[in-house]
Amino acid sequence: MDDEIKTKLIQHEEEEEGDLKQRIWDESKKIWRVALPSVISRVCAFGTLVVTQSFMGHISEVDLAGYALVQTLSVRFVNGILLGMSSATETLCGQAFGAGQHHMMGIYLQRSWIVDLVTLTILLPIFVFGTQIFKLVGQEKSIANSGGYISLWFIPFVYNYIFSLTIQMFLQAQLKNMIIAWLSASQFVIHILLSLLFVYTLNMGVSGAMIALSMSSWFLVIGEFIYIFGGWCPSSWKGFTITAFKDLVPMVKLSVSSGVMLCLELWYYAVLVLLAGYMADAEVAISAFSICLNINSWEFMISLGFLGGACVRVANELGRGNAKAVKFAIKVLLWTSIAIGVFFFVLCLVFRKKLVYLFTDDDRVAETVSDLTLLLSFSVLLNSIYPVLSGVAIGAGMQGTVAVVNLICFYVIGIPLGALLGYFTSLEVKGIWIGMIGGVLTQTIAVMYMVWRTDWDHEVKKASERLAQFYLTSNENPNRGLLTNHD
């Protein structure tokens, strides 16, 4: 009898193990369906900025430092705000898709365009008065002048964010973002060809590199417009509607909390580059730090793909009312992302100095970057954890709470620690980076604890209430006042 019981227990355990493997496999397929196209698109999109930096580095060291200053401070600041505000679209569209409210998704998208357009226009003086701002914060005159000139060239580029960021979130919420991956890969190739044409063939220098950047970025947006307006999203895009101008205040509130959350995250690194600008050899410090930061950020784009995957999976399951599926998705997401982080951690240690010469011919900059490689590797490893947790927060609409966590961990702990180690010890740039890691580590622990303590059954209820607040039924004719229609 005992043997019979043992046999049954073993069979039961084997069945559970087989069932778990199948569940992990099924969840992984759902995650990669969202994450892979998102990873490709974000790596390619950020890759255009990295390619432009590479061309700048071979034009002159001053222009490399000026470009690094603008891209890392101004563009990252604006991108952080717009990416964060656009994540409100991801929250609402993801939960609407999970709840079967497909017709609301196009309205959410249009509302996000309105909010982001107004926001970016308000922020435009950051680029118009770039030289004055950089001088005001104490940057070297030659670097500030170069940065101010490059800032003006960035204006047509940053306006693409209004559409490219929101449309990507709109499409990935309904599992249609493979088109974004193809368009982004094409954009990356086109950008390299345009850069070679304008910088080397036509010998247009800095202006040529920036023209190539703007042209390739708008290629992506035009392709997205063709896909949406051409009828490939029949259930979620019903045309332009005046309904998009209604209920903007709740949308703005969610967008602002999202914007603050991600902006605090992304601008954190920008402040550290600003601190590097006050070092004794500012040109080398800024260039070296920004190269490391760009390598780190380029790998971070993979993590942002998982952030998108986490947001969509959590939002979809909350919209469906399945708290158990939310918790399981979070576990699979984290372990998958960590495995990828370990791979890139090892890769950074192996290649060390070799990647640097893609960005510069200056041996001093290369040596400084080489010294930072170990710290860069640990940053890459942490990249695999906290973006996934941020994605979980966005999917659940908890951006406000994470914004407070980011403010404390990054700006009360990370930056002061980096400044202390950078200026009052012999560590210099290394000290700034150690401070950065300290802030990220505390943020990761805090958000992980928050996610672990979350009552997901309660979050299901909140998601249902949020969708009910915005919901318009088909009978209410949400498309009244259409300018165009693609039914």
Side-chain angles (χ1 to χ4, degrees):
M1 192 70 174
D2 289 342
D3 291 338
E4 193 176 319
I5 292 172
K6 285 180 182 178
T7 303
K8 286 182 178 180
L9 284 172
I10 291 169
Q11 287 175 346
H12 180 67
E13 286 174 2
E14 287 175 349
E15 285 173 7
E16 280 192 337
E17 187 180 346
D19 182 54
L20 179 61
K21 286 179 180 177
Q22 186 60 46
R23 286 174 62 206
I24 292 172
W25 175 248
D26 291 340
E27 182 61 40
S28 295
K29 285 194 292 185
K30 292 175 184 176
I31 289 167
W32 280 105
R33 188 176 175 185
V34 178
L36 183 59
S38 184
V39 167
I40 293 170
S41 61
R42 292 187 187 282
V43 167
C44 290
F46 190 78
T48 60
L49 290 170
V50 177
V51 166
T52 304
Q53 183 181 37
S54 177
F55 276 92
M56 289 289 183
H58 294 287
I59 293 171
S60 80
E61 290 304 318
V62 172
D63 288 325
L64 173 62
Y67 177 86
L69 204 60
V70 180
Q71 189 228 319
T72 314
L73 290 177
S74 308
V75 177
R76 187 178 289 268
F77 176 66
V78 169
N79 176 255
I81 290 177
L82 293 179
L83 179 61
M85 297 189 78
S86 300
S87 71
T89 313
E90 200 164 22
T91 301
L92 292 169
C93 284
Q95 293 181 1
F97 185 77
Q101 300 175 9
H102 296 178
H103 67 282
M104 289 299 300
M105 297 176 72
I107 297 173
Y108 295 147
L109 177 63
Q110 291 170 65
R111 285 175 183 167
S112 69
W113 286 347
I114 295 166
V115 172
D116 285 9
L117 179 62
V118 172
T119 302
L120 180 55
T121 304
I122 292 170
L123 294 171
L124 211 55
I126 292 173
F127 296 95
V128 176
F129 302 104
T131 301
Q132 292 87 338
I133 291 171
F134 296 141
K135 286 180 179 177
L136 186 65
V137 295
Q139 296 299 310
E140 284 187 7
K141 186 178 178 181
S142 60
I143 298 174
N145 287 335
S146 174
Y149 175 71
I150 292 170
S151 287
L152 297 173
W153 281 106
F154 261 113
I155 292 174
F157 169 80
V158 293
Y159 267 94
N160 92 84
Y161 284 146
I162 295 169
F163 305 103
S164 61
L165 294 175
T166 51
I167 291 174
Q168 178 171 337
M169 293 171 181
F170 167 76
L171 291 175
Q172 75 180 18
Q174 51 191 311
L175 307 179
K176 288 186 175 181
N177 59 335
M178 184 53 76
I179 183 64
I180 303 289
W182 285 111
L183 287 172
S184 299
S186 302
Q187 174 203 7
F188 185 68
V189 173
I190 288 169
H191 177 65
I192 293 173
L193 295 175
L194 287 174
S195 298
L196 289 169
L197 173 65
F198 288 124
V199 177
Y200 290 135
T201 305
L202 299 179
N203 198 28
M204 292 176 66
V206 172
S207 58
M210 296 308 298
I211 289 171
L213 182 64
S214 292
M215 287 179 66
S216 62
S217 68
W218 280 96
F219 165 83
L220 174 64
V221 174
I222 292 168
E224 291 171 337
F225 283 155
I226 291 171
Y227 184 80
I228 293 175
F229 301 158
W232 281 278
C233 300
S235 60
S236 55
W237 178 262
K238 302 293 185 180
F240 291 101
T241 170
I242 58 172
T243 307
F245 290 91
K246 298 177 182 178
D247 294 322
L248 282 176
V249 174
M251 183 78 174
V252 169
K253 286 181 179 177
L254 186 59
S255 296
V256 168
S257 61
S258 302
V260 170
M261 175 191 134
L262 277 180
C263 185
L264 289 172
E265 225 168 89
L266 294 175
W267 208 51
Y268 173 54
Y269 299 96
V271 174
L272 294 166
V273 171
L274 190 64
L275 290 177
Y278 300 124
M279 293 288 171
D281 197 344
E283 193 176 302
V284 172
I286 290 176
S287 297
F289 202 90
S290 67
I291 286 171
C292 280
L293 197 53
N294 268 347
I295 294 170
N296 180 57
S297 298
W298 207 355
E299 190 276 336
F300 184 64
M301 294 302 110
I302 297 173
S303 304
L304 281 182
F306 280 92
L307 183 151
C311 178
V312 170
R313 289 296 302 128
V314 170
N316 283 175
E317 296 302 340
L318 286 176
R320 292 188 184 102
N322 193 340
K324 188 177 179 182
V326 172
K327 290 184 275 190
F328 187 73
I330 293 170
K331 292 175 184 176
V332 177
L333 275 158
L334 270 175
W335 284 113
T336 305
S337 185
I338 288 170
I340 293 171
V342 170
F343 171 76
F344 281 102
F345 171 82
V346 175
L347 212 61
C348 283
L349 291 176
V350 170
F351 284 99
R352 291 182 71 85
K353 211 174 185 180
K354 294 178 182 177
L355 286 173
V356 186
Y357 288 103
L358 292 174
F359 300 92
T360 182
D361 297 320
D362 192 320
D363 290 331
R364 296 175 305 158
V365 174
E367 195 60 42
T368 306
V369 171
S370 182
D371 288 342
L372 291 170
T373 304
L374 181 61
L375 296 174
L376 172 63
S377 301
F378 279 107
S379 294
V380 164
L381 188 59
L382 284 173
N383 279 353
S384 65
I385 304 172
Y386 78 91
V388 173
L389 299 173
S390 295
V392 171
I394 292 170
M398 298 188 291
Q399 293 95 321
T401 307
V402 179
V404 175
V405 172
N406 287 352
L407 179 64
I408 295 170
C409 294
F410 293 155
Y411 296 87
V412 177
I413 298 173
I415 289 175
L417 180 61
L420 181 68
L421 295 174
Y423 291 109
F424 298 100
T425 71
S426 59
L427 291 171
E428 296 187 334
V429 180
K430 280 185 182 178
I432 295 175
W433 200 291
I434 290 170
M436 179 184 79
I437 290 175
V440 171
L441 185 60
T442 52
Q443 189 260 11
T444 301
I445 294 169
V447 179
M448 188 176 288
Y449 178 76
M450 187 185 81
V451 169
W452 177 59
R453 294 286 296 171
T454 297
D455 181 349
W456 290 106
D457 290 309
H458 180 62
E459 292 303 320
V460 165
K461 183 181 176 184
K462 284 170 63 178
S464 178
E465 291 170 353
R466 185 183 296 114
L467 290 173
Q469 179 183 12
F470 288 103
Y471 184 67
L472 293 170
T473 65
S474 320
N475 295 332
E476 288 178 83
N477 191 15
N479 295 310
R480 190 179 299 149
L482 290 183
L483 302 178
T484 59
N485 200 316
H486 296 276
D487 286 343

